[in-house]
Amino acid sequence: MYVLPEQLEAWSIRLGRCDIAPDHLTAASAHRIMQTHAHWMGSPCAQRRAALNYLVRTGRYVLDSRRRHLQVSFQHLEAPLDFQCDCAAAEEFATILDRTRTDLEVVIDRNVHPDMPPLPCATLWSA
């Protein structure tokens, strides 16, 4: 079966191919991708990332500037753990763990993605 280039986006969305980013997006197709690919399994989804970038760039989605990316790296684990939380919880979490644990590193930045899992029990770390 031959698929025309203008049909490729619809086919890749329908097939659920998370490794292929669409070339051309509209507001409707970006919203459809965000709903269809509303999953987080720790692996990047090129379709959802492209749709989110399009919606942010066109002013249809506003990222929460109060949220922070919290990355926790343990010496005995290969892959770091990534979470999102508010700024106060991130800073308190990092401060307490810095005083009590020597086997980990906590990095806080603004590279938060809406699909990152929340910091478990984040309310315990907010003042």
Side-chain angles (χ1 to χ4, degrees):
M1 170 185 254
Y2 179 74
V3 179
L4 297 172
E6 57 270 10
Q7 295 172 324
L8 183 61
E9 178 188 351
W11 276 95
S12 63
I13 291 169
R14 222 175 297 138
L15 294 174
R17 297 283 311 265
C18 292
D19 59 333
I20 299 174
D23 291 333
H24 175 71
L25 288 170
T26 64
S29 64
H31 282 292
R32 188 171 57 252
I33 289 171
M34 292 292 287
Q35 293 165 352
T36 306
H37 293 260
H39 55 78
W40 176 259
M41 292 183 234
S43 59
C45 176
Q47 294 229 358
R48 189 167 167 88
R49 174 67 71 177
L52 178 66
N53 289 341
Y54 174 84
L55 293 171
V56 169
R57 191 173 61 252
T58 59
R60 294 177 180 266
Y61 189 103
V62 178
L63 297 172
D64 187 350
S65 62
R66 299 167 296 178
R67 308 295 289 168
R68 296 294 182 267
H69 169 219
L70 185 69
Q71 186 174 71
V72 183
S73 300
F74 291 87
Q75 291 176 353
H76 64 280
L77 293 178
E78 285 185 32
L81 302 174
D82 294 296
F83 302 105
Q84 65 168 308
C85 59
D86 64 60
C87 186
E91 290 174 358
E92 185 67 18
F93 179 84
T95 300
I96 290 173
L97 290 184
D98 188 46
R99 282 186 278 170
T100 60
R101 300 288 302 259
T102 59
D103 63 332
L104 59 84
E105 178 184 42
V106 178
V107 176
I108 302 170
D109 59 40
R110 292 178 181 258
N111 297 329
V112 66
H113 189 278
D115 290 337
M116 284 181 178
L119 178 66
C121 303
T123 56
L124 295 174
W125 309 108
S126 296

